[in-house]
Amino acid sequence: MALAKDQDFVPETEWPSVSVMLDGFGQPSLPPSDALAGTSLRIDDEKGVSCDYAFRDATSLEWTYGTSRGHSSYKAVEARPGIFIIDFVRGEDLATESITIIFDRNTGAVTHAISRFVEADGRVRATTGFSHANPEGGSVHERSDALVGKRIFYRYSDIETYEHVYLNRGTFTWHCLRGGEAGLADTDRCAAWQVTDDLFIFFWTEKVMTVEAVLLVDLKHQRSIGRMFGWDDTLATTLVLPFDSRLSVLNTTVYPEDHTKG
């Protein structure tokens, strides 16, 4: 690709602020769903704290987290029939939390992700806790290695494109080909869980910028849907960026048969 050939290494000191991505991401391609209105979910977080969510209508919910209660606006997208990705935000400033729920009505499996800010080495960083459950007693979303070896091209808008290279179950490389982060690339921690055939929950966290991302990668329908959550040090503000993309699998690496020998 000509754009990649024109790029070069960009030292961390020259990286823009995380908010540079805000203008480049396009409008969602799937509409919000009202299918969860009038229903509720009870899920424990990764520490075993009970979380109750009552979806009052198509856009508002009430939540109970341990002894705390509140209400928030939410967005649910039906990524596949009966499979929802639900996002909402509660709190303000450094107490902000971004919650993503992937709920499969077909099987009962639920994955619950809460991203929060923490302080580490004098910097604001983020962390995401995951829990996996099935209130109906069935199977849960399991870790997957199905993305390993794939190189995928993501079109977030007409002006924002990235590629991902999935190196192993917990490590991937991202590279911005076009957009606000053009030329930037890094290798970061990630994880994937399988929801159903060719549909995966994907998480990544960045070590340079304060960014946590939770999304669905749908290889069958060639799209991703999710959100980024982060902190902009320059503006001292939170970043919550919903996005979706069209994707293309560029190739899949197949290693020589002798790669495990010796």
Side-chain angles (χ1 to χ4, degrees):
M1 177 175 288
L3 288 175
K5 291 179 180 179
D6 292 339
Q7 296 170 355
D8 205 340
F9 175 75
V10 181
E12 182 181 335
T13 54
E14 297 179 15
W15 284 32
S17 67
V18 67
S19 294
V20 74
M21 295 182 292
L22 286 173
D23 293 334
F25 283 72
Q27 296 299 312
S29 60
L30 291 178
S33 171
D34 62 1
L36 298 178
T39 69
S40 61
L41 279 174
R42 168 168 285 185
I43 317 165
D44 289 343
D45 74 357
E46 77 281 7
K47 298 178 181 178
V49 178
S50 181
C51 307
D52 290 281
Y53 301 112
F55 302 97
R56 295 307 181 192
D57 53 38
T59 60
S60 62
L61 62 79
E62 294 180 0
W63 55 265
T64 302
Y65 180 62
T67 59
S68 301
R69 296 175 180 270
H71 56 85
S72 299
S73 60
Y74 79 96
K75 180 180 179 181
V77 173
E78 193 167 7
R80 294 252 191 110
I83 300 175
F84 298 86
I85 180 168
I86 306 151
D87 286 298
F88 75 95
V89 176
R90 64 185 172 211
E92 297 179 348
D93 300 322
L94 290 176
T96 302
E97 296 180 334
S98 181
I99 294 89
T100 297
I101 303 166
I102 292 88
F103 176 39
D104 187 347
R105 271 184 160 179
N106 306 310
T107 65
V110 183
T111 289
H112 186 220
I114 303 179
S115 297
R116 304 177 174 93
F117 293 120
V118 295
E119 186 172 325
D121 300 324
R123 289 186 59 192
V124 176
R125 304 300 294 168
T127 185
T128 300
F130 284 88
S131 61
H132 310 276
N134 191 322
E136 298 179 12
S139 61
V140 299
H141 301 141
E142 299 285 354
R143 280 289 299 274
S144 173
D145 61 3
L147 295 178
V148 174
K150 295 189 185 304
R151 188 180 198 130
I152 300 181
F153 180 72
Y154 292 91
R155 304 170 186 83
Y156 294 100
S157 71
D158 291 339
I159 61 172
E160 201 84 27
T161 60
Y162 285 74
E163 63 177 336
H164 288 182
V165 182
Y166 304 97
L167 303 175
N168 58 42
R169 286 165 54 93
T171 315
F172 87 118
T173 295
W174 59 265
H175 173 211
C176 181
L177 292 161
R178 185 181 182 192
E181 293 186 330
L184 272 59
D186 207 354
T187 298
D188 286 311
R189 182 168 69 89
C190 68
W193 296 264
Q194 184 159 8
V195 179
T196 189
D197 292 344
D198 288 333
L199 183 65
F200 305 92
I201 301 164
F202 185 66
F203 160 75
W204 84 78
T205 180
E206 298 186 16
K207 60 181 176 289
V208 176
M209 294 185 177
T210 301
V211 171
E212 306 275 298
V214 180
L215 58 148
L216 284 174
V217 175
D218 189 336
L219 298 182
K220 178 180 178 180
H221 294 105
Q222 297 186 311
R223 63 188 173 213
S224 70
I225 305 166
R227 56 80 171 169
M228 292 183 187
F229 173 71
W231 178 260
D232 188 315
D233 288 316
T234 303
L235 300 177
T237 187
T238 58
L239 169 73
V240 181
L241 179 60
F243 64 82
D244 66 17
S245 74
R246 304 303 300 177
L247 67 84
S248 300
V249 178
L250 301 179
N251 58 58
T252 300
T253 299
V254 178
Y255 293 104
E257 292 183 2
D258 64 350
H259 82 283
T260 60
K261 297 180 180 179

